[in-house]
Amino acid sequence: MSETIKKFLYLNRKAPYGTIYAWESLEVVLIGAAFDQEVNLLFMDDGVYQLTKGQDPSGIGMKNFSPTYRTLGDYEVKNIFVDRDSLAARGLTQDDLLQIAWEDLDTDESVENIVTVVDAPRVSALMDAADVVFSF
Amino acid sequence: MSETIKKFLYLNRKAPYGTIYAWESLEVVLIGAAFDQEVNLLFMDDGVYQLTKGQDPSGIGMKNFSPTYRTLGDYEVKNIFVDRDSLAARGLTQDDLLQIAWEDLDTDESVENIVTVVDAPRVSALMDAADVVFSF
Amino acid sequence: MKFALQINEGPYQHQASDTAYCFAKALLEQGHAIFRVFFYHDGVNNATRFTTPPQDDRHIVNRWAALAEQYELDLVVCVAAAQRRGVVDEGEATRHKKDATNIHPRFRISGLGQLVEAAIQADRLVVFGD
Amino acid sequence: MKFALQINEGPYQHQASDTAYCFAKALLEQGHAIFRVFFYHDGVNNATRFTTPPQDDRHIVNRWAALAEQYELDLVVCVAAAQRRGVVDEGEATRHKKDATNIHPRFRISGLGQLVEAAIQADRLVVFGD
Amino acid sequence: MSILHTVNKSPFERNSLASCLKFATPGAAVLLIEDGVYAGLRGTTAVPLITDALERVKIYVLGPDLKARGFAAERLIPGIGVVDYAQFVALAVQHAKVQAWL
Amino acid sequence: MSILHTVNKSPFERNSLASCLKFATPGAAVLLIEDGVYAGLRGTTAVPLITDALERVKIYVLGPDLKARGFAAERLIPGIGVVDYAQFVALAVQHAKVQAWL
């Protein structure tokens, strides 16, 4: 494995369940944690629906993968960004979204919720700062 | 095969080449001709791009299936409708579209161009009149 | 009432096959009938017996096969679409010199005429896709 | 320069695999290199040797295999995505008790780590999808 | 002859709901399924499209799809009905045909 | 660090071009490929989106995709460049990264 540290940006623009992209994208994030890169997750457009609370696909015969997002803090993911305009267009607020905690077991440092709602200029800045953008 | 005559509506809303739906939809129309039903083809939204003149996918390594539309008159298709608003939104006019001729070899009856551009109420009426709608 | 179903997308990637399955199950439980389920476009990929989803996930292919077994459904895969995407039965394997097959035995490969016929014979055609 | 390519859609249904192929060919002809082509989601369906398109159409699978042969490309199919969709090699067939395989010999099945590694090692990751 | 239209796409990502509602005639029913259910929620930019259409057509949401995505029926725009798969079948039976806006 | 954005969807069917152009910063390039090329044509409802963006970013169309769909370069909005696959590669090399709007 390489010594290079790259800034990874996972760009999530698709809703869950209607297609598998959200779930298989999350699988990359989980595997990618082993590679010690700097990881940012960005949810925009219909991708913000991936983080809604209370998902229950038992009635459509699918697996609920929503709890996995809550474990992201254990996978070295410290930054999860959500585009504010995408939420607003969908009548959503941060209250509709999962809370994802993060804790560093070595330093006792912890963050109650690493999900941050950001404005458009910040979204652009995230894209500009990334070394690699994963799209699904 | 049944004696029933049904009104078939083929609803074409997708652009060609980016996805295969347009081409595989056309394959159903060609096969369907053997069943002697009343067939209407409707092109709307990005589906209107299926009928543009001058297509040449040699540079993307794909087969040009556009000439096949011109043979539809030989496959018992007498009615091809194009939604006017869809054309207008895309800056297109009927001049951008293929002409498709129809001829009845028994009666010598012929139509120079069976492609008709229709207004929204007519589109709705076509949908309402159909017995079966094929979507791709 | 007699239904025909058309499925345009493969398993797992899109919800189409899931929705069609839930719809099929509901209509059969109500006493309606299914004249045929026609798999078209990437829908032909619902017919492979090679699928092995994670153990905690649904098995889309086996689920269709079981429903077909229970209600004697006719599950038809479009031959032209199947050739493009690599779904083969014994006949196709022989014809195109493939060394094996991958179709699930509860599905059969046939022509597009089967879709047209289903649309004529059934009281309702319901299409599921992307 | 070293490229990594990711392909998210299967052959024929979407143009993604075609565009990726034309892009790959162009970059190789310019003297650039491809660290890896990673097939993900329905992209795994590009790896089946059972495909038989019409004779006047391109053969997407064989075209990738030929390019890989010429330039010694590493064509990797995601194992988890392949299991869901029924793409199997010898190892997978044994593990999951399948009676045959369908993978084209020029492709190999491996884990998602291969995508992450490719993104790290390559100078550019280019993604093709729906 | 009245139509049951099905729409399975988010109105924020695709144009299929807008097209469907433009051409649906009085007496038609529109069933929002899969990612189409997001169009039924209150407070979105799609609300004008839906409220305008509700004056002419019936609009339903497939409940299991709504629940899967984490929303309760209370979040829906008033006037939209919630159905299960059995009622989806009943709607398909009641209407002369089913038209999918893929 | 400047980005090469790729958009492969029609602007009339999907929201990906609008999203891309909203977030693309000065110096970025946007390459329209596959069904994305329709956004480059004159006289469409997408023209304001493109002409506004042309003040900040470069916009290219993949020529083979445009030709496949039956349109000549003359039909493009002035200011849009046409590239082939070799130039697509060159753009990917020139920009620090490639971001696909799928």
Side-chain angles (χ1 to χ4, degrees), chain B residues 12-107:
Chain B
N12 297 288
R13 295 182 55 248
K14 292 180 183 169
Y17 306 113
T19 53
I20 203 173
Y21 304 105
W23 170 229
E24 289 190 333
S25 163
L26 189 54
E27 289 188 333
V28 181
V29 177
L30 301 181
I31 295 289
F35 287 80
D36 291 327
Q37 306 295 303
E38 187 182 326
V39 172
N40 288 311
L41 270 61
L42 172 60
F43 295 85
M44 59 184 294
D45 293 330
D46 281 354
V48 302
Y49 287 128
Q50 294 182 30
L51 297 180
T52 52
K53 283 181 196 160
Q55 295 176 20
D56 177 9
S58 57
I60 57 174
M62 288 194 197
K63 185 178 142 180
N64 186 359
F65 63 91
S66 154
T68 308
Y69 290 104
R70 302 201 55 191
T71 70
L72 283 175
D74 306 333
Y75 285 87
E76 309 288 330
V77 175
K78 267 176 81 173
N79 295 300
I80 297 180
F81 299 98
V82 178
D83 174 51
R84 188 184 306 278
D85 295 341
S86 298
L87 280 182
R90 288 158 185 79
L92 302 176
T93 67
Q94 183 147 16
D95 287 345
D96 293 305
L97 305 183
L98 296 172
Q99 286 206 17
I100 302 174
W102 179 86
E103 193 178 358
D104 187 321
L105 296 174
D106 297 331
T107 63

Side-chain angles (χ1 to χ4, degrees), chain D residues 52-82:
Chain D
T52 311
Q55 298 212 330
D56 58 351
D57 202 355
R58 74 242 186 247
H59 195 308
I60 293 181
V61 178
N62 289 355
R63 208 170 55 172
W64 274 116
L67 197 70
E69 200 57 41
Q70 186 183 351
Y71 291 95
E72 295 181 29
L73 302 184
D74 188 19
L75 305 182
V76 178
V77 174
C78 170
V79 61

Side-chain angles (χ1 to χ4, degrees), chain A residues 124 128, chain F residues 1-3 5 23-29 53 55-58:
Chain A
S124 291
D128 286 348
Chain F
M1 300 281 273
S2 80
I3 307 181
H5 299 274
F23 294 107
T25 49
E55 294 175 14
R56 295 171 294 117
V57 301
K58 297 225 182 222

Side-chain angles (χ1 to χ4, degrees), chain D residues 7-48:
Chain D
I7 299 174
N8 292 344
E9 299 295 332
Y12 302 102
Q13 185 103 335
H14 297 87
Q15 203 187 332
S17 183
D18 293 283
T19 304
Y21 174 81
C22 293
F23 183 80
K25 201 158 166 286
L27 78 87
L28 292 166
E29 285 168 0
Q30 285 179 47
H32 297 296
I34 294 182
F35 179 79
R36 182 169 293 146
V37 184
F38 193 85
F39 296 86
Y40 198 35
H41 304 298
D42 271 3
V44 302
N45 291 321
N46 285 284
T48 171

Side-chain angles (χ1 to χ4, degrees), chain C residues 13 84 117:
Chain C
Q13 185 102 334
R84 282 193 185 98
E117 189 204 12

Side-chain angles (χ1 to χ4, degrees), chain F residues 8-20:
Chain F
N8 71 335
K9 291 298 177 314
S10 156
F12 314 111
E13 194 201 38
R14 308 251 197 147
N15 68 345
S16 41
L17 178 66
S19 276
C20 168

Side-chain angles (χ1 to χ4, degrees), chain F residues 28-41:
Chain F
V30 177
L31 175 59
L32 306 172
I33 65 173
E34 302 178 357
D35 290 343
V37 301
Y38 293 121
L41 297 174

